[in-house]
Amino acid sequence: MGKVVVALAAGCAVAACVVASMMVERSVRRRRAWRRVVRLLEELEEGCATPVGRLRQVVDAMAVEMHAGLASEGGSKLKMLLTYVHKLPTGKERGTYYALHLGGTNSRVLRVQLGGQRSTIIGRDLDRQPIPQNLMTSTSEELFDFVATLLKDFVEREEKGSITTQQESRELGFTFSFPVKQTSSSSGNLIKWTKGFSVEDMVGRDVSECLQQAISRKGLDMRVAVLVNDTVGTLALGHYDDEDTVAAVIFGTGTNACYLERADAIIKCQGLLTTSGGMVVNMEWGNFWSSHLPRTSYDIDLDADSPNPNDQGFEKMISGMYLGDIVRRVILQMSQESDVFGPVSSKLHVPFILRTHLMAAMHEDDSPNLTEVARVLKDTLEIPDVPFSVRRLVVNICDVVTRRAARLAAAGIVGILKKIGRDGSGGIAGGKTKVGSKNKMMRRTVVAVEGGLYTDYTMFREYLNEAMEEILGEDVAPYVVIKMTKDGSGIGAALLAASHSASSTG
Ligand code: ADP
Ligand code: MG
């Protein structure tokens, strides 16, 4: 009996030793895995670093590239497309105007009534109409007949019961979110389709003319008065609300910017003989590139895997389409090099599965246990419950990626201000304003900003605003105002139709 007890006790001791040593081994392995992911996070932080000195280099590079792009076609990765828009709405416009926005997936029609008092916009939005998939690859006639029908139905509904008799043709602002080479403020030829469209008989043709013909086919009395892209619409609405607005930037699925260039810069660079006043330039800044941009292996892989490698480099670091996918790539790497996320989830291999709004939800999770992080990891990436420290790690990854994006975006904006002499530095463009000097005060400068990434992602917005102040310095920063606009891409086109119409301010 005694022997049995001794043997049992010895057995238990051995088992306890084995368990203990297994636990030690496991904890050593855990610690090693943890050290590995912390190292990867540190590398990510170093790779994404944006100290203010580097941001200033990006500012300078942006201003230099803007010059080069204006100077000659193909002179820069920035296309710097002339829009022939010389007049921005001032708030004095009167009358009723229509707008049509043909975007990536939706088509929208709206009407504004302007009372000449800036505040009296009555915008009426027709619900977004999805563009039927088959029309995206059909013929121009079918595509434009579809939007012309939307327009006609909308006009009939809006004007039903209205006693005012139509004296002049209705005026329409057309926002077309694809690359166009403008030939005037109301016409331009499609350069190429993007976003899954391929209506082959349209390429190279005048976009306004196609729409105008379709409108006529439907028997609608309406004139396409202006043709713009969405950034120009945003600038128009910004300027309508506040005449100090000189530039507009979109941070949505993609990113782009436009600004008001001085007449002499346009004449000198483009060889135009005259221009009446300044002109709005569509930068197509998503394609900006500079060796000063902090690039990581994740960015390089994302670009290589994309359908347009070496294209839209700035956009791939900044816009809503890509931020979530950078985070996915970092988590995948960490998961492959350690077991802190458990076995590698097959979902981590799926491109764009982690959408940016989900990334934002994790980043901005303020619950004590980071339950939102756990939920997104589980529901979207099929990563089962992970400890708090790992959830925290994910929040840190989101923070690094968004902070870099927002700070680079801010540098881009200051680059525009530098080009037009509004950054308070005297800049390349020879800006003569000097803060603090007695007679030459820095002018108030407004930049209109629109797009879901800016409006709905608080951390992105705060990092962007913070970086603006850092780059500009405390003396200049108060003169530069970032203003959010809403639906400028559509409303702005109607406002431009108004400011380009002879009857609106007369
Ligand atoms: P689009 O650019 O497609 O015209 P929006 O300007 O509305 O449309 O921007 C939508 C994009 O903004 C989404 O694709 C997404 O990337 C981003 N976005 C929307 N909501 C959020 C959010 N809450 N947090 C972060 N990004 C968001
Ligand atoms: Mg948009």
Side-chain angles (χ1 to χ4, degrees):
M1 196 63 178
K3 270 186 193 164
V4 173
V5 171
V6 170
L8 253 170
C12 283
V14 169
C17 273
V18 169
V19 168
S21 83
M22 270 167 63
M23 276 166 65
V24 168
E25 205 177 295
R26 223 167 70 203
S27 98
V28 166
R29 199 148 34 84
R30 255 206 208 127
R31 242 179 294 147
R32 206 175 289 148
W34 187 246
R35 269 206 302 273
R36 185 69 203 126
V37 292
V38 168
R39 183 72 210 124
L40 284 172
L41 178 65
E42 283 167 2
E43 281 169 13
L44 178 71
E45 281 170 343
E46 285 158 25
C48 292
T50 49
V52 72
R54 175 173 286 202
L55 293 180
R56 294 218 169 91
Q57 290 173 316
V58 175
V59 168
D60 291 347
M62 181 64 81
V64 166
E65 290 299 318
M66 289 171 76
H67 264 276
L70 276 178
S72 62
E73 211 173 307
S76 162
K77 293 200 113 183
L78 294 179
K79 279 212 175 69
M80 304 299 285
L81 301 171
L82 301 187
T83 64
Y84 300 92
V85 170
H86 303 291
K87 275 186 300 189
L88 287 169
T90 59
K92 298 194 183 75
E93 293 76 10
R94 293 174 176 280
T96 299
Y97 297 88
Y98 288 86
L100 166 71
H101 185 181
L102 190 60
T105 46
N106 292 297
S107 187
R108 300 187 317 152
V109 188
L110 62 89
R111 176 169 95 139
V112 298
Q113 286 168 290
L114 308 173
Q117 293 296 321
R118 183 160 276 160
S119 58
T120 46
I121 289 188
I122 306 161
R124 291 215 204 143
D125 216 340
L126 183 81
D127 294 334
R128 286 166 180 245
Q129 291 284 324
I131 301 164
Q133 195 77 33
N134 64 310
L135 292 185
M136 296 181 180
T137 54
S138 65
T139 64
S140 64
E141 196 167 313
E142 279 178 344
L143 177 64
F144 281 88
D145 274 350
F146 168 78
V147 290
T149 304
L150 285 184
L151 263 176
K152 186 168 188 222
D153 293 349
F154 180 74
V155 168
E156 280 169 4
R157 225 172 317 143
E158 289 287 307
E159 293 182 359
K160 188 146 57 181
S162 126
I163 12 169
T164 52
T165 47
Q166 192 72 30
Q167 292 190 334
E168 281 154 356
S169 178
R170 299 175 192 87
E171 308 252 340
L172 176 80
F174 183 21
T175 309
F176 186 70
S177 304
F178 301 92
V180 162
K181 178 148 177 64
Q182 304 254 172
T183 45
S184 75
S185 61
S186 63
S187 59
N189 303 325
L190 177 66
I191 298 173
K192 61 169 181 185
W193 285 110
T194 55
K195 311 180 214 177
F197 278 70
S198 71
V199 180
E200 288 314 320
D201 67 330
M202 266 296 296
V203 177
R205 279 176 64 194
D206 187 327
V207 178
S208 293
E209 206 175 281
C210 290
L211 176 61
Q212 189 69 67
Q213 284 166 359
I215 288 172
S216 303
R217 282 198 294 276
K218 298 289 162 200
L220 184 63
D221 183 15
M222 183 178 271
R223 188 179 77 92
V224 182
V226 288
L227 171 69
V228 293
N229 87 349
D230 44 3
T231 55
V232 180
T234 299
L235 178 59
L237 178 59
H239 197 268
Y240 182 88
D241 287 337
D242 186 330
E243 283 191 73
D244 289 335
T245 308
V246 296
V249 190
I250 292 189
F251 299 111
T253 307
T255 181
N256 190 15
C258 73
Y259 72 106
L260 189 58
E261 182 55 279
R262 295 189 325 254
D264 59 334
I266 300 279
I267 293 168
K268 201 161 64 196
C269 289
Q270 299 275 334
L272 298 184
L273 291 179
T274 60
T275 106
S276 43
M279 193 196 285
V280 176
V281 177
N282 165 19
M283 294 173 63
E284 292 293 328
W285 91 348
N287 200 35
F288 169 68
W289 190 253
S290 155
S291 59
H292 298 297
L293 293 173
R295 199 179 200 208
T296 66
S297 59
Y298 307 107
D299 302 302
I300 293 168
D301 292 347
L302 182 150
D303 182 54
D305 294 347
S306 73
N308 56 342
N310 290 318
D311 214 22
Q312 299 295 96
F314 199 44
E315 180 164 88
K316 283 171 181 160
M317 288 181 144
I318 286 182
S319 80
M321 167 131 189
Y322 301 101
L323 297 188
D325 205 54
I326 300 174
V327 171
R328 173 190 69 86
R329 286 166 185 277
V330 177
I331 297 176
L332 172 61
Q333 183 81 22
M334 288 179 170
S335 184
Q336 284 170 331
E337 292 196 22
S338 78
D339 58 2
V340 303
F341 290 98
V344 181
S345 163
S346 62
K347 297 285 177 194
L348 280 172
H349 289 284
V350 181
F352 299 105
I353 194 170
L354 185 62
R355 309 269 303 276
T356 299
H357 68 96
L358 294 174
M359 166 197 182
M362 295 199 289
H363 191 186
E364 298 181 337
D365 184 357
D366 56 5
S367 66
N369 294 323
L370 297 176
T371 45
E372 186 62 19
V373 176
R375 195 188 61 77
V376 173
L377 290 179
K378 185 154 171 291
D379 292 356
T380 305
L381 298 177
E382 290 179 4
I383 293 172
D385 202 24
V386 291
F388 182 80
S389 56
V390 178
R391 299 179 192 182
R392 224 14 279 155
L393 174 77
V394 171
V395 174
N396 283 335
I397 299 167
C398 297
D399 189 67
V400 172
V401 171
T402 290
R403 187 164 184 270
R404 176 184 70 163
R407 290 171 70 79
L408 293 178
I413 294 173
V414 179
I416 300 176
L417 300 183
K418 179 160 194 160
K419 171 70 182 72
I420 56 176
R422 295 287 193 103
D423 68 329
S425 75
I428 296 173
K432 295 176 193 69
T433 48
K434 215 175 188 177
V435 173
S437 80
K438 282 203 179 94
N439 2 345
K440 294 171 189 158
M441 286 300 289
M442 171 86 191
R443 284 179 62 187
R444 181 171 172 274
T445 296
V446 180
V447 179
V449 173
E450 194 161 304
L453 189 65
Y454 189 83
T455 54
D456 299 344
Y457 195 166
T458 311
M459 290 304 288
F460 179 88
R461 189 166 66 239
E462 286 180 357
Y463 278 139
L464 190 153
N465 294 341
E466 182 184 84
M468 291 289 298
E469 281 190 40
E470 249 180 76
I471 304 169
L472 291 168
E474 59 180 12
D475 290 339
V476 177
Y479 293 91
V480 176
V481 181
I482 304 275
K483 262 199 187 177
M484 250 193 266
T485 56
K486 191 155 166 37
D487 291 334
S489 47
I491 296 171
L495 297 175
L496 282 165
S499 62
H500 282 72
S501 143
S503 58
S504 84
T505 49

